[in-house]
Amino acid sequence: MRKLALSDEILMKVEKPARYIGNEVNSVMKDPGKVDVRFAMCFPDVYEIGMSHLGIQIIYDMLNQFEDVWCERVYSPWVDLDAIMRKEQIPLFALESQQPIKQFDFLGITLQYEMCYTNILQVLDLSGIPLLAKDRTEDDPIVIGGGPCTYNPEPICDFFDLFYIGEGETQYRELIDLYKDAKEKNLGRAWFLEKAAKIPGIYVPSLYEVTYKEDGTIKERKTLTVDAPEMIMKEMVTDVSDTYYPMKPVVPFIKVTQDRVVLEIQRGCIRGCRFCQAGQLYRPVRERNLEFLKKYAIAMLENTGHEEISLSSLSSSDYSQLPELIDFLIEECSRRKINISLPSLRIDAFSLDVMNKVQDVKKSSLTFAPEAGSQRLRNVINKGLTEEVILNGAKLAFEGGWTRVKLYFMLGLPFETEEDIRGIGELSNKIAATFFETVPKEKRNGKVQIVASTSFFIPKPFTPFQWAPQCRKEEFLDKAYLTRKSITEQLNQKSIKYNWHEADVSVLEGIMARGDRKINQVILRAYKMGCMYDAWSEYYKNDVWMQAFEECSVDPDFYTVRERSEDETFPWDFIDCGVTKSFLLREWHRAKEETVTPNCRMQCQGCGAARFGTGVCLEEREG
Amino acid sequence: MKVRIKFSKEGPVKFIGHLDIMRYFQKAIRRADIDIAYSMGFNPHQIMSFASPLSVGHESSGEYFDIELNSMTDTEDIKNRLNEVMTDGIKIIKVAALDEGEGNAMASVAAADYLVRFSDKVTLPDDFKEKLTDYYEQEHIYVTKKTKKSEKEIDLKEGIYKLQVREDGVFMQLDAGSGSNLKPGFVLEHFFETIGVELPEFPFRIRRLETYRKTKKGKLMPLIS
C-alpha cells in the first residue's frame, strides 16, 4: 500500500484530509524507475478549485500518455496544513507518489487568475525550491508557467525558469526531449534554458533585459543571448478534433467545484467583446466535430461515473452543430439518468426549449449578461445584446414558467456615464415589468426575482481596452452606490436584488494584469509579509499589499488610473497572440466612436488570426 | 430486487468521509454499469441505503450497503464488476440477494465488532490487561453522556457485548443500533479516564471488523450471513 507523505495525526487534524491522499479513480500511477522525466503539475489554489480545471486534466492525460514521463498533481495546501508543514518542515509532495516536489524534473504551474500569484510562492516555498529563478541550482526542478496569465508574464517572471505561451497540447514533447538530452549529457540548467528559448511558444525571461524611461514606461527590451527570439508567438492547436483530450479524467473523492464531465465543444469566440481577454487570446474559433464530441461524451461518462455533463466554451450558442449535439446528449443522458448543464447559452426560443427539457424550470434561473446598462455603452464594449433581445428572451422565459432572472453587469467600463449606470436599474425594472405584463395574476407561480450583479471592470492585456484607465477604489464604490440607488428608485424595486463585488481586490487584480517586471518584488514582499490565498476574500489583506507597494517604492496608480498613450510599449508587447496591436487599436478607436464591430462569422475584421489558417477563418461568410 | 453489498476500506482511503464514500459508490455503480433503480422525479437518484456511517480515520472490513436493481445477472457478477472499478483500498467482499420484505441495511444494524490499536504515543500501564478486564467485569459502568441539549447518565455495560485484550489490540463488540450506538473510542477514553492515564491526541487506530443484525430470536448475525 502507498505510504502517505503526511502522518495520520496530521491528516486527522486538518480539514478535508482527502485533499492530500491522491489515489483518486483514473489518477495515474507509474513506476518511478521506469520513467525518465517526473513532472509535477500544479494549480496554485486549494484542491477543490484545482481539480475543477479542465486544462490540467488535458495536460495530465497527455503527459501520462508519454511512456517516459510521469505527470503527477499538486495543489496549494489549505491554510491549516500550510501552517503545520512550515512548523514541522514537511516538504510539499505530489499526490500520486507522495514524493517531494523538489525531486521532480519539472514543476508546471497553471496561472488562471492574477490573484493566485502569492500562492505560486507558497508552493515553491513549501517545496524548498528557491523563490527566485536566478537562485536555483541543478538540484531544483525547472519551473514552468502556463495558462492565460502568461500572456503577460512579466509581473511574475522572476519566479519562473520559463513560460509556455499558448495551448499546451503542442510543444511539451519537444521540450521534454530537449530536457532528456540535457540531462543525459549533463549539459546543465543554463544550457537547457537557452536551447528551450528556441522552441516555439517558450519564453525564458532570464534571457531578456528591460530598461525603463523616466516616466516608468518601457524604454527598451533587449535579448541577452543571440539566439533568444525577440517575439514569442503563442502556441495553438490547429485541429481541435485531432488532439489530446482526456477519455478518463481523474474523479475526485471529495466534492469539488466542477464535479462533472466537461466537454469542451470549441475554443475561441467569434464575438469580440472589447473587454474580454479570452475572446482575443483564443482566436480563431475552432469547433470540435460532432462525432469527436459524441465519442468523448460517452467515454468520459462511462469512465468516470459522473452524474452530470457540462458543455464548455466561451459561447455555446455559437457552436454550429449545437442542436444535433444536444439531441444526442438528451437521448443518451435521459437513459443513463445523467444531468446536462448548459452554461453560456444565449436566451432564445431554442435554448429555452432545451433548458425546459434538461432542468427543473421551477428551480432554475435564467442568466443574461448585458454587461452594461445602456445600449450606448453596450455598443462601446461591442456586446451585441440589445434590450429588445433581452426583453423578448425574458418574455419567452416567463411564459415558460421561469420566475428567476440573473443579470450580470460591469461597472467602471471605459466612457461610462451616470446615465449608463442608471440603465442597470432601468433594465432590471423593465424585465420585472415584463413579468407582470406577460403572466396574468392567476397564473403567477411565486414571485418574480431579478438578481442584478455587478463586477468592477479590469482592463486586460490583448484587449482593445488595454489602453484604458481603470477606476480607483472610491470611484468603483461610488458607482456601486449609484447603481443601488437607481435600483431602489424603480417601480418594481421589490423584485430586484443587487449584489456587487469588492473593490480592493479588483484594483490589485488590475495592477497584476497590466504590470511590468517591477511588480515581482512587490509580490515577493507581500508574500513574505503573510499574503496568500488572495482570491479568497477572508484571506485577502489589502493593507498589507498596500504596505508592500510602499516599501518597494512602486506606485499602484501607475498601472491602473493612467490612460496609456497609443505609442506606449506594453510589457506584454513581445508576445504575439495572433491578434495584432493595430487591430486592437482600431477597436479601441471604434469603442470611442460607439461603433459595433460585426462578429467573425458575419465579416472578417482582419484581426491577424487568419494567419493560423484554421477555424472560422476558413469558413465561407454569409455576406 | 435488492442486493446487499459488503466491502472493506483500508489504507489512505480511510480519510474519505461517509458522504464522499456514498458519492464514490454512486459513481462506481455507473462505471460498473449496474442496472440500479432510480427514484422518480426531476432529479432521480440511485436507490441506495448504507448500513452505518464509518468515522473518518477508521478502517473497516465489514461495511455494508443495499441497492435496488431493475434487473440482475448474479451476485458474483455484480461483485466482479464492482471490483473492476474500485480504487486501491476499497474492495467488495460479498454480494447477496435480499429476501422480499427484509429490512434495509441501516434499520437492521444492531451491533458491530471493533479492533482498537494504540498509537505509538500511548504509554500503556504494565497491568493494562488486568485493569481493562476489571473495568469490563464491573456490573455497571455508569457515565454521563453530554449531548447538545442535555446530559444523561447511561450504563456503558449494557452496550458492551464483548471486550477482550488481544495480542493485536482491544477487541470489542458494541451496540450499534440507531439511538443506542456506542463508539469504541468513547468506551476506551472512559476507561483511561477512570484509571487516570492521560491520552495524547488521536490515541486509537480503529478498525470495524463486522456489522451485525439481530435475528427474530435475538441472535446477532453478520448483515450478510
Side-chain angles (χ1 to χ4, degrees), chain B residues 118 122-132 165 191-192 195-199:
Chain B
F118 301 102
V122 178
T123 330
L124 297 177
D126 294 337
D127 54 352
F128 165 71
K129 191 173 173 176
E130 291 72 38
K131 281 202 159 125
L132 186 56
V165 181
F191 160 71
F192 280 103
I195 63 164
V197 170
E198 218 165 287
L199 291 172

Side-chain angles (χ1 to χ4, degrees), chain A residues 135 167 203 225 250 355 362 448 478 487 508 554 566 585 617:
Chain A
D135 299 333
E167 295 171 355
Y203 169 49
T225 59
V250 180
M355 282 187 265
K362 268 180 265 159
V448 63
D478 285 344
I487 285 174
L508 185 65
V554 174
E566 292 184 358
L585 193 59
C617 303

Side-chain angles (χ1 to χ4, degrees), chain B residues 5 29 32 78 165 221:
Chain B
I5 295 166
I29 281 168
I78 289 178
V165 181
M221 298 282 278

Side-chain angles (χ1 to χ4, degrees), chain A residues 8-9 23 259 304-306, chain B residues 14 23 27 30 87 205:
Chain A
D8 278 17
E9 279 80 9
N23 190 35
D259 192 26
T304 59
H306 278 312
Chain B
K14 71 184 178 189
R23 283 169 5 93
K27 290 178 202 281
R30 279 201 205 86
T87 190
R205 301 283 172 270

Side-chain angles (χ1 to χ4, degrees), chain B residues 34-208:
Chain B
I34 288 175
D35 190 14
I36 191 167
Y38 283 81
S39 67
M40 302 307 228
F42 220 99
N43 290 305
H45 58 266
Q46 299 178 350
I47 299 178
M48 186 184 265
S49 154
F50 272 73
S52 172
L54 188 69
S55 303
V56 173
H58 293 190
E59 295 185 302
S60 176
S61 44
E63 294 302 288
Y64 292 89
F65 66 98
D66 296 349
I67 54 175
E68 188 160 331
L69 300 175
N70 292 319
S71 70
M72 110 149 198
T73 44
D74 59 75
T75 53
E76 199 54 26
D77 177 62
I78 289 178
K79 180 182 140 185
N80 292 339
R81 287 217 317 245
L82 279 172
N83 270 330
E84 266 170 42
V85 300
M86 286 296 110
T87 190
D88 274 0
I90 301 179
K91 205 175 151 210
I92 307 297
I93 303 166
K94 262 185 207 168
V95 177
L98 288 185
D99 292 335
E100 203 63 43
E102 198 151 337
N104 74 31
M106 187 187 264
S108 307
V109 175
D113 288 348
Y114 298 92
L115 183 69
V116 183
R117 288 173 301 124
F118 301 102
S119 96
D120 306 339
K121 296 197 178 99
V122 178
T123 330
L124 297 177
D126 294 337
D127 54 352
F128 165 71
K129 191 173 173 176
E130 291 72 38
K131 281 202 159 125
L132 186 56
T133 312
D134 290 349
Y135 172 83
Y136 177 57
E137 281 172 359
Q138 300 172 82
E139 203 170 319
H140 299 284
I141 307 173
Y142 290 114
V143 325
T144 314
K145 211 174 177 180
K146 280 181 197 155
T147 62
K148 274 176 203 155
K149 283 181 189 156
S150 63
E151 283 185 13
K152 64 173 181 184
E153 191 166 73
I154 57 164
D155 183 2
L156 282 186
K157 187 72 195 257
E158 285 175 14
I160 308 175
Y161 301 150
K162 287 179 193 165
L163 191 151
Q164 293 154 6
V165 181
R166 291 185 180 171
E167 199 94 318
D168 52 353
V170 177
F171 171 84
M172 281 187 271
Q173 187 173 75
L174 302 176
D175 187 338
S178 64
S180 53
N181 178 46
L182 259 193
K183 289 188 169 175
F186 182 78
V187 175
L188 284 179
E189 272 163 25
H190 181 252
F191 160 71
F192 280 103
E193 200 187 303
T194 56
I195 63 164
V197 170
E198 218 165 287
L199 291 172
E201 240 184 329
F202 312 112
F204 310 127
R205 301 283 172 270
I206 298 172
R207 183 185 181 93
R208 181 142 72 197

